[in-house]
Amino acid sequence: MAHTSIHWFRKGLRLHDNPALMAALKDCKELYPVFILDPYLFSNSCVGINRWRFLIGSLKDLDCSLRKLNSRLFVVRGKPEEVFPNLFGKWNVTKLTYEYDTEPYSVKRDDKVTSLAKDHGVEVIYKISHTLYDINRIIEENNGKPPLAYNRLQAVVKSLGPPKKPIAAPTLEDMRDVKTPCSDKDEKKYGIPTMEELGLDTTSLGEEVFQGGEQEALRRLDEHMQKTRWVCSFEKPQTSPNSLEPSTTVLSPYVTFGCLSARTFWWRLTDVYRGKKHSDPPVSLHGQLLWREFFYTASLGIPNFNKMEGNSVCTQVDWDTNPEYLAAWREARTGFPFIDAIMTQLRKEGWIHHLARHAVACFLTRGDLWISWEEGQKVFEELLLDGDWALNAGNWQWLSASTFFHQYYRVYSPVAFGKKTDKNGDYIKKYLPLLKKFPAEYIYEPWKAPQSVQQAAGCIVGKDYPHPIVQHEVVSKKNIGRMKMAYAKRSTDTTESPSKKQGVKRKAPTIIDMFEKKTRK
């Protein structure tokens, strides 16, 4: 039987390593590649302008690649469960393919669409390619529970063997007998919208530092894989949170949107590592991809993973509700230049280094402002190009010492931490030019500068730049006490110490341990 197939692009915005797309092409006479602007996922309130730009760039790139195969992308607006019945009838569809997604909303959505497809006599095929492994299989291999310690995850995936090798992108030969019917009317109806057509305010947009799309993802991957020594010696804690140019690959947005396959990244790294001495997980680049699997597995196996209440592994903390503090943090008005510079970079560029995320997350939650990690999670979801649901929720729980990481007494200083890798404050000068004339002695603590120094710098603290929102030395000690009380309240039958529960004899060093070890050298 010759099929009329829809391949539903969601996160996997690429042609390479796309097994669901290849399944759509099997015994296919007509192909309709579709992307749906689902109002639940793409409301203006939860997607920032940089993410919109990255998405639209990725869709344009995908459409361009499809057109080289004599096809095109059809962008449809609406709820998938309302859109598909119409498309099934309009195009006489017999097969629907898509990449499996583990997010709770996505699972429910896909169940609805699959049921509707069956009602219309449409065969449904999904493939796993957004993660290295089948996440459900990892949970099954761990006695039906998600591993709550990284080294436990490593043990489970080791038993599964290496990830599947990526498959090649479809070629003109694969498309030889396949057509994508398209009229002039379709060009207008299903074209990729501009940000203006979507009603987005683009006035705040700055330079596009990270361009979306599969071609840019593969170019960046090639560029980094040529730096053999750098790849082999890469250790995440030894990279700088405040370098003027990124000290990591910045491939995370491309993996998040699926412009780059995680399996392609993994196997390219394997090729570079082969026969050479190289770093190992958790700090290596392979290790970063396994952290991604770790949080994906936790997010699938733990109900209410993105919330404190109803989350069985999350410490229940009596966080404060303080809209003024939250707004000051979000808008880079805390009075701590290192924190404000990071939040400024986040809003301008849509990306910040992982250790910079550590600093601002600790500051918002257990370190200084005592605001729930759920509030920080929302801000990151909006502003980060790589705002991945599972990783965002998992990292916020980790950094607030609510789950996974329990050394709540280890607090990042909003002053000293940045100085370790940028004594002169060049990063602060770049993102907070108002402070660029302050001498290095005062740039992390401008409130300590004498009035004459502030006047010479053209920036008076309290007038041109805010006073510190809190006294770090005072509130951090108070908050350690509050965390101690929250831990004391935890029931003894919770997974208080995952490593003990799972029989791990020794605790792996934390990222903080590794970073401090580096700075002591």
Side-chain angles (χ1 to χ4, degrees), residues 230 234 236 238-243 245-250 351 353:
W230 182 83
F234 182 93
K236 191 65 167 277
Q238 295 197 24
T239 57
S240 171
N242 47 3
S243 54
E245 294 297 326
S247 57
T248 56
T249 65
V250 197
W351 181 87
H353 187 280

Side-chain angles (χ1 to χ4, degrees), residues 104-304:
Y105 168 75
S106 305
V107 171
K108 289 178 187 173
R109 173 200 64 196
D110 295 348
D111 285 346
K112 283 183 196 171
V113 171
T114 297
S115 178
L116 286 167
K118 287 178 179 174
D119 291 345
H120 285 77
V122 175
E123 178 188 3
V124 177
I125 297 172
Y126 69 81
K127 299 287 185 181
I128 293 164
S129 54
H130 190 60
T131 49
L132 295 174
Y133 295 91
D134 178 347
I135 299 300
N136 287 287
R137 178 83 190 282
I138 293 175
I139 292 173
E140 286 168 17
E141 290 292 319
N142 196 51
N143 301 316
K145 296 178 181 178
L148 296 179
Y150 184 87
N151 45 10
R152 179 60 196 155
L153 175 98
Q154 283 182 283
V156 173
V157 299
K158 187 176 181 181
S159 73
L160 296 176
K164 287 183 180 178
K165 291 201 171 181
I167 63 172
T171 63
L172 279 168
E173 179 62 25
D174 294 317
M175 295 286 290
R176 186 176 57 181
D177 300 320
V178 181
K179 291 184 172 59
T180 297
C182 181
S183 65
D184 291 341
K185 195 182 290 184
D186 287 342
E187 284 285 347
K188 191 172 183 181
K189 185 175 182 181
Y190 299 113
I192 298 167
T194 64
M195 287 191 281
E196 288 74 19
E197 287 169 346
L198 291 167
L200 300 169
D201 180 5
T202 59
T203 53
S204 64
L205 269 179
E207 178 192 355
E208 188 172 18
V209 181
F210 310 110
Q211 183 183 341
E214 179 181 20
Q215 298 312 308
E216 177 64 10
L218 294 173
R219 185 197 69 76
R220 283 178 173 266
L221 180 66
D222 287 341
E223 182 180 65
H224 284 293
M225 293 306 101
Q226 287 168 15
K227 297 185 285 186
T228 305
R229 184 181 296 176
W230 182 83
V231 169
C232 289
S233 63
F234 182 93
E235 292 189 2
K236 191 65 167 277
Q238 295 197 24
T239 57
S240 171
N242 47 3
S243 54
L244 297 185
E245 294 297 326
S247 57
T248 56
T249 65
V250 197
L251 285 170
S252 54
Y254 300 92
V255 177
T256 296
F257 279 85
C259 304
L260 175 64
S261 151
R263 297 190 300 209
T264 296
F265 193 0
W266 177 276
W267 283 101
R268 287 291 298 276
L269 287 168
T270 301
D271 290 341
V272 173
Y273 289 156
R274 193 170 285 115
K276 303 179 189 73
K277 184 181 178 182
H278 60 82
S279 55
D280 292 308
V283 297
S284 65
L285 285 168
H286 263 176
Q288 305 317 299
L289 289 170
L290 288 177
W291 276 117
R292 183 172 181 267
E293 298 292 298
F294 175 79
F295 285 124
Y296 263 77
T297 307
S299 74
L300 181 61
I302 299 168
N304 302 306

